[in-house]
Amino acid sequence: MAYTHKKSMDMFKRAAKVIPSGIYGHFTPALMMPGHTPYFISKAKGPRFWDVDGNEYIDYMCAYGPMILGYANRKVDEAFAKQAKLGTATMPPTALMVELAEKMVEINDCADWALFAKNGGDTTSWAIYIARGYRKRNKIVLATGGYHGTQPWSGSNHTGVTPNDTADIILVPWGDLAAFQKAVENNPDQIAGVMMTPYNHPTFAPSVLPPDGYWAGMRRVCDDNDIVLIIDDVRAGWRLDIKGSAHSFGFRPDLACYCKAIANGYPISAIVGAEKLKLTASKVFHTGSYWGNSPEMAAALACIEEMQNIDAAGICHERGKQLREGLLELATAHGLQFDVSGPLPIPFIRFTNETNFKRSQLFVKECILNGVYFAWHHNMFLSAAHTKKDIEQTLDVADKAFKVVKKQFGS
Ligand code: PMP
């Protein structure tokens, strides 16, 4: 029987009285399938969560990325709990900070040092300050429509942002080397850095992998013009390759930003960089009340060790392949025009014969109401906790959902 969400709705009404918009930011149900979506959850374990109405879901959002080993992973949780007993926000920090920095340097071939913060946006801002400080130039190139957090410089056009906030930002289309080259020519000796995601993962649009030679070309133009090449690997980091997504696409950035999956859900982010930027990084005063917390660092060390031990990225690829092939096969069998884009562990689904997302929304709604938590507007995430059986169960649900789409739309 399809799920209902009465308790979620009741809780949302309570929330709306005391929390602006009820649930804010990217957790808002407005982005999912309002009215058919669980608004509040009660618990999560492995690749599944349960909502406050008691409905169970196989989760393909993985909290928008952090969950890579499965919710409530024993090894990571034990490492966190053990360290929490020894103190949380201490001053000075613990030796775990050094251990974690050493680990980051060991696994990232572009890294000679590491710094830690809490959120992805902390590190993307930090990267920009470092690039500007190093080059003593102001301008930063970003990709049009790219997302690096809600900081005003990033092009986030929310209330309160002024034109001055983005005065030193130059936008070029992602994947367009000629456009980047032109921006560099038009702004001689003014560009400090360029920040992009390793592949293009916009919201509300298919994901796009780097065109041939793109990153080699970007690296060359940056080197020729003394521009710091910054990779925002906040979303994709660790799922493509334990050595970082840049490694999987065969290039070395000067700075790389990580967050999401670094500690399987515990709040910590990291920026790693090349030796040449270390002195400047030491001069940028960027900090936060909880940035030195040791339990998150213990969790990150345990998570990285486990990702290495089980080859989490490899499992995410395998499960992503099973899911992608299964969905494409089913859609074809139903006579539907359906596509899955992006790397195997981070799929974006859509119906190719529409731009209004009506089929995608119906498909996702049917999946959610039958226990598979998919998204239509955003890429999804595989984890190392998804089993072959979970994917099979997902495909059974998807089969029925495709049938509903076929019935309603015909093609
Ligand atoms: N960069 C990218 C590519 C992201 O996907 C995100 C978060 N979705 C961020 C930066 C910002 O991270 P946070 O929300 O942790 O500040």
Side-chain angles (χ1 to χ4, degrees):
M1 221 201 4
Y3 292 174
T4 56
H5 299 106
K6 185 175 178 324
K7 286 186 183 164
S8 262
M9 296 298 173
D10 290 346
M11 185 60 73
F12 189 72
K13 282 181 200 147
R14 270 176 65 189
K17 286 187 185 151
V18 288
I19 301 170
S21 75
I23 302 175
Y24 48 93
H26 65 296
F27 297 101
T28 172
L31 289 171
M32 301 303 283
M33 288 306 303
H36 310 288
T37 303
Y39 287 19
F40 293 93
I41 76 151
S42 57
K43 63 172 182 176
K45 178 72 190 159
R48 288 161 195 260
F49 68 78
W50 288 259
D51 68 19
V52 287
D53 288 272
N55 304 311
E56 178 178 337
Y57 303 85
I58 305 176
D59 179 18
Y60 289 92
M61 284 311 281
C62 298
Y64 279 91
M67 189 279 273
I68 190 166
L69 296 176
Y71 292 110
N73 176 273
R74 186 181 56 79
K75 288 183 184 162
V76 180
D77 288 3
E78 277 178 10
F80 180 92
K82 191 172 156 209
Q83 186 60 28
K85 283 199 186 115
L86 303 174
T88 51
T90 59
M91 160 64 203
T94 70
L96 284 171
M97 189 163 83
V98 184
E99 246 184 79
L100 184 55
E102 285 169 349
K103 192 63 171 174
M104 297 293 287
V105 168
E106 179 197 314
I107 59 177
N108 270 276
D109 51 11
C110 70
D112 294 304
W113 52 263
L115 292 163
F116 303 104
K118 285 287 139 220
N119 288 293
D122 302 333
T123 63
T124 53
S125 289
W126 213 340
I128 278 175
Y129 308 145
I130 293 170
R132 285 180 172 152
Y134 181 64
R135 280 296 164 224
K136 308 217 169 0
R137 301 172 183 168
N138 291 347
K139 294 195 175 173
I140 298 288
V141 177
L142 304 176
T144 317
Y147 184 75
H148 304 290
T150 60
Q151 311 87 321
W153 59 260
S154 71
S156 205
N157 61 354
H158 53 78
T159 302
V161 176
T162 74
N164 283 351
D165 290 321
T166 48
D168 286 317
I169 298 296
I170 300 167
L171 295 175
V172 299
W174 193 98
D176 188 340
L177 181 58
F180 177 59
Q181 241 160 342
K182 197 149 191 257
V184 173
E185 280 160 28
N186 290 344
N187 296 273
D189 299 325
Q190 293 175 66
I191 299 175
V194 51
M195 178 186 290
M196 288 191 185
T197 53
Y199 70 94
N200 198 18
H201 46 58
T203 314
F204 304 109
S207 297
V208 184
L209 296 177
D212 278 351
Y214 178 61
W215 281 121
M218 290 292 287
R219 181 70 271 177
R220 195 180 54 248
V221 176
C222 286
D223 288 344
D224 291 349
N225 295 278
D226 296 328
I227 293 169
V228 177
L229 177 54
I230 308 162
I231 283 305
D232 175 353
D233 212 3
V234 166
R235 189 180 310 176
W238 319 93
R239 274 186 171 79
L240 303 197
D241 195 312
I242 188 79
K243 294 179 177 170
S245 303
H247 180 87
S248 71
F249 292 122
F251 71 102
R252 276 184 195 214
D254 299 309
L255 293 170
C257 304
Y258 294 102
C259 181
K260 306 269 187 200
I262 186 170
N264 203 49
Y266 289 102
I268 180 165
S269 58
I271 175 166
V272 302
E275 186 62 36
K276 65 180 182 185
L277 295 165
K278 192 163 161 224
L279 182 62
T280 312
S282 72
K283 291 182 187 165
V284 176
F285 188 71
H286 191 46
T287 190
S289 298
Y290 301 106
W291 289 12
N293 279 23
S294 56
E296 291 90 315
M297 292 181 182
L301 279 163
C303 182
I304 293 169
E305 190 183 336
E306 187 65 357
M307 286 194 284
Q308 285 180 307
N309 284 347
I310 65 171
D311 182 16
I315 299 173
C316 290
H317 276 84
E318 267 179 43
R319 299 296 178 267
K321 187 166 185 282
Q322 187 189 352
L323 180 68
R324 181 167 309 202
E325 289 176 356
L327 288 174
L328 291 173
E329 203 175 296
L330 287 171
T332 306
H334 284 282
L336 293 167
Q337 295 170 51
F338 182 79
D339 178 45
V340 187
S341 58
L344 292 170
I346 313 178
F348 182 93
I349 57 171
R350 70 172 180 137
F351 290 83
T352 52
N353 53 336
E354 68 175 11
T355 50
N356 59 10
F357 294 106
K358 294 269 188 247
R359 288 170 183 78
S360 304
Q361 289 174 345
L362 179 61
F363 176 69
V364 165
K365 181 187 107 179
E366 287 300 314
C367 288
I368 289 179
L369 291 179
N370 289 282
V372 168
Y373 197 68
F374 272 176
W376 61 271
H377 70 295
H378 194 278
N379 64 255
M380 308 192 292
F381 299 86
L382 274 295
S383 80
H386 286 95
T387 63
K388 286 183 185 157
K389 266 186 108 164
D390 292 324
I391 308 288
E392 284 163 16
Q393 191 182 331
T394 300
L395 292 173
D396 283 346
V397 170
D399 189 20
K400 295 186 188 97
F402 279 132
K403 206 170 173 181
V404 174
V405 174
K406 174 78 180 177
K407 197 169 166 208
Q408 185 146 331
F409 289 93
S411 66

